[in-house]
Amino acid sequence: MVNTAAFAPREGITLIPDGFQTHGAAALEGSHTADVELWSGPDDGEPEWIFDPATGTEARNHGTKTATTTARIQRLLSEAETAAGEQDVTSRRYLMALPWDASTVTTSSRVKVLTSGDPLLDGRHLSVLDAQGGSLRFERHLICLDNLEAL
């Protein structure tokens, strides 16, 4: 039988000191090597096609830019290939870490990668699939999707 009382904090001892989250967040932000823009999008997360009568062309409306910040982007080892119509579509997922106070990101948000050090990722628009929260965190983690279509 394990004595669980031995693992309980002792009276007057703080396990997590005041300011712990702020200090930890500052240390991790040094590992953010990418610059990104956060965009709020339509409720379904899909950008709209907008016709410009001045040029006679259509362009994607990715929503409204809400912030520019730093990030760390890591490709997750999952790649999916599905058929859309009669065309195969490949998608990739990424774990994106933003500063911990980036709380305006939702699952209808999009992220534009400005610079990442990877020319294949720079300029891409990623859809946010999951904006992970928590009561004690150092970073805001997002699961993002790149469906590899040309922009």
Side-chain angles (χ1 to χ4, degrees):
M1 178 183 232
V2 176
N3 180 2
T4 57
F7 299 107
R10 299 179 195 268
E11 188 176 333
I13 295 177
T14 303
L15 293 179
I16 301 174
D18 292 338
F20 180 71
Q21 183 171 340
T22 305
H23 296 299
L28 282 175
E29 285 179 25
S31 70
H32 293 179
T33 58
D35 294 310
V36 299
E37 291 176 344
L38 305 177
W39 292 73
S40 65
D43 290 337
D44 61 5
E46 290 297 318
E48 304 170 301
W49 286 95
I50 305 296
F51 179 73
D52 182 357
T55 63
T57 61
E58 286 187 329
R60 283 184 169 232
N61 174 11
H62 291 283
T64 305
K65 183 170 71 169
T66 59
T68 301
T69 188
T70 59
R72 184 177 62 255
I73 304 170
Q74 175 183 346
R75 181 173 169 208
L76 299 175
L77 295 178
S78 65
E79 189 168 299
E81 196 167 293
T82 57
E86 294 183 12
Q87 181 177 0
D88 289 336
V89 177
T90 303
S91 61
R92 290 191 182 133
R93 291 180 185 225
Y94 293 89
L95 172 65
M96 184 174 297
L98 301 175
W100 70 275
D101 56 354
S103 59
T104 58
V105 181
T106 66
T107 54
S108 65
S109 297
R110 294 177 71 78
V111 179
K112 180 179 181 184
V113 180
L114 300 175
T115 59
S116 67
D118 183 349
L120 298 177
L121 194 55
D122 293 350
R124 304 293 304 173
H125 288 257
L126 308 177
S127 300
V128 177
L129 298 178
D130 185 18
Q132 300 176 350
S135 63
L136 180 62
R137 63 185 189 278
F138 299 111
E139 298 176 304
R140 171 73 63 195
H141 287 169
L142 309 177
I143 303 297
C144 297
L145 177 72
D146 184 357
N147 65 6
L148 302 178
E149 68 181 75
L151 296 175

